[in-house]
Amino acid sequence: MHRTVKVGLYGENGHQIYQAENLPGVRIVGAAKIAPEKLPESIRDRVRYYDSLDELLAGDCEVVSLCSPYRRDQAFDAVRCLEAGKHAYGEKPSAFTESELDLILATSARTGKIYHEMAGTLLEAPYAGVRRLVQEGVIGKVIDVHSQKAYPWFDSRPADEDIDGGLMRQVGIYNMRFTEFIAGVKIASVTARETLLGNPVPGSRCRRAAVFAMTLENGGVASGNASYLGPRQPEWTRWGYEYVRIFGEKGFIECLNLGETVRLFLHQGGVRELDLSGEHTDYFGAFVEEIATGRKVIPLELADELSPTRWVIRAKRSVTA
């Protein structure tokens, strides 16, 4: 039985981990910049509320889940947490610049405190199973990777990219994760284009679509599309739309509509559908286990975990340069 890890929540600008209380060994003890009504009723009355991150850090939490009110500030919020002796778990993107990423890496190493980005794609179904099959060489050497990530559009999406990072950093990061985490090939270069076409809100700078072209360290290529053009429930079966197709020397594997369909095709073996739903690990749960046991659980070094963030930063820079 692992010991209980005390968690503090900062901000509600993102996928805050309100349900973490359901994980073994987790207790949410504090919250700052979060309205009490946002929390589940089961913990609302016993969580201590603070007015600022500094006050939260002065409390007894061991790890802070960061969904900072302005994502532009979050890298520095993460550093403050680590400097205060707390572990930190950051909503994407962790940073807006490479120097900020390097500061997080250096501070985590110097303080001995663990930082992780909310990068659950690595361990969630069906992608964990796809990653395993690719690593086992089922489709041979990876040559070509295609991916798309499409969230639904809402007129309330932030007009200012400083709030949530904008389309590329908020959504396009998945294209980089699919390429490096799931296809298992490091990116060597990236260029991008993006468009405001279809944004109906006067004065808004929220982009509706972006496209990425990547070269890979093994000599292969990859492409990705990110957009706010995805379908909504209940008209659609999932929240938005995404696919990943990984082509290798021996065949290809594809995940369609957030894993609704997973198929493997081999040139010598034909096509078959796969059920990889059982290969799933909660990412924050793995993080908590690292804290509680002192053992490495998430199968990436921090620099590799943050590599997709670094590449999406570079992709954004290729547009603004």
Side-chain angles (χ1 to χ4, degrees):
M1 178 75 72
H2 299 319
R3 67 176 181 82
T4 298
V5 173
K6 297 178 181 180
V7 178
L9 311 178
Y10 178 64
E12 54 187 62
N13 179 23
H15 298 90
Q16 193 50 276
I17 53 167
Y18 300 129
Q19 304 305 322
E21 188 82 10
N22 297 326
L23 294 170
V26 173
R27 183 175 178 83
I28 297 174
V29 297
K33 298 297 182 181
I34 298 177
E37 59 268 20
K38 294 283 188 177
L39 299 180
E41 289 187 18
S42 59
I43 65 172
R44 191 177 300 165
D45 292 337
R46 64 168 175 76
V47 168
R48 184 170 182 179
Y49 298 92
Y50 301 91
D51 293 327
S52 68
L53 177 59
D54 287 337
E55 291 181 10
L56 178 65
L57 294 176
D60 65 346
C61 65
E62 298 172 75
V63 56
V64 177
S65 172
L66 292 166
C67 291
S68 298
Y70 277 85
R71 194 74 78 249
R72 169 71 73 175
D73 300 331
Q74 189 168 281
F76 303 105
D77 292 338
V79 168
R80 286 163 65 194
C81 292
L82 299 171
E83 294 277 13
K86 314 293 185 181
H87 308 288
Y89 188 59
E91 172 65 292
K92 58 180 168 60
S94 287
F96 277 39
T97 69
E98 290 191 68
S99 61
E100 292 170 4
L101 274 185
D102 292 337
L103 181 60
I104 291 172
L105 286 163
T107 306
S108 177
R110 177 170 51 79
T111 62
K113 296 302 175 181
I114 304 171
Y115 179 84
H116 281 298
E117 191 172 64
M118 296 182 186
T121 305
L122 176 69
L123 300 180
E124 67 187 15
Y127 297 120
V130 174
R131 170 183 162 90
R132 174 182 57 78
L133 291 172
V134 173
Q135 287 179 329
E136 291 173 355
V138 172
I139 63 171
K141 182 181 293 184
V142 172
I143 299 171
D144 190 12
V145 183
H146 301 260
S147 65
Q148 182 175 42
K149 181 72 171 181
Y151 280 160
W153 171 260
F154 298 96
D155 286 353
S156 59
R157 288 213 177 270
D160 181 355
E161 292 191 341
D162 284 357
I163 295 175
D164 71 342
L167 174 67
M168 275 201 194
R169 302 184 193 97
Q170 181 67 216
V171 183
I173 192 172
Y174 284 100
N175 301 107
M176 311 302 166
R177 288 175 178 173
F178 292 146
T179 302
E180 292 206 330
F181 291 175
I182 311 308
V185 185
K186 287 288 190 179
I187 299 168
S189 68
V190 63
T191 58
R193 295 292 182 270
E194 59 186 358
T195 181
L196 282 162
L197 183 66
N199 184 335
V201 181
S204 172
R205 301 300 295 170
C206 184
R207 278 64 171 180
R208 290 299 299 269
V211 61
F212 307 97
M214 295 164 263
T215 60
L216 306 178
E217 285 190 356
N218 73 347
V221 294
S223 62
N225 290 85
S227 75
Y228 288 128
L229 298 167
R232 303 184 194 179
Q233 295 172 315
E235 291 81 6
W236 192 250
T237 56
R238 297 286 196 274
W239 177 255
Y241 180 80
E242 69 188 52
Y243 72 76
V244 180
R245 292 188 177 96
I246 306 171
F247 291 82
E249 298 169 303
K250 300 178 183 178
F252 70 88
I253 189 167
E254 65 177 2
C255 297
L256 306 177
N257 198 25
L258 288 85
E260 191 172 58
T261 300
V262 184
R263 291 185 294 197
L264 171 68
F265 173 79
L266 298 176
H267 298 300
Q268 296 182 356
V271 64
R272 60 188 175 100
E273 292 199 9
L274 304 175
D275 181 3
L276 302 176
S277 59
E279 298 188 42
H280 178 88
T281 301
D282 184 272
Y283 209 72
F284 186 69
F287 183 16
V288 167
E289 187 175 345
E290 289 188 343
I291 296 170
T293 66
R295 179 172 58 87
K296 182 69 175 170
V297 178
I298 294 174
L300 286 179
E301 296 302 319
L302 180 56
D304 293 325
E305 180 189 86
L306 294 179
S307 179
T309 305
R310 189 178 298 276
W311 282 109
V312 84
I313 289 169
R314 292 176 178 175
K316 182 68 174 178
R317 196 166 64 222
S318 78
V319 172
T320 57

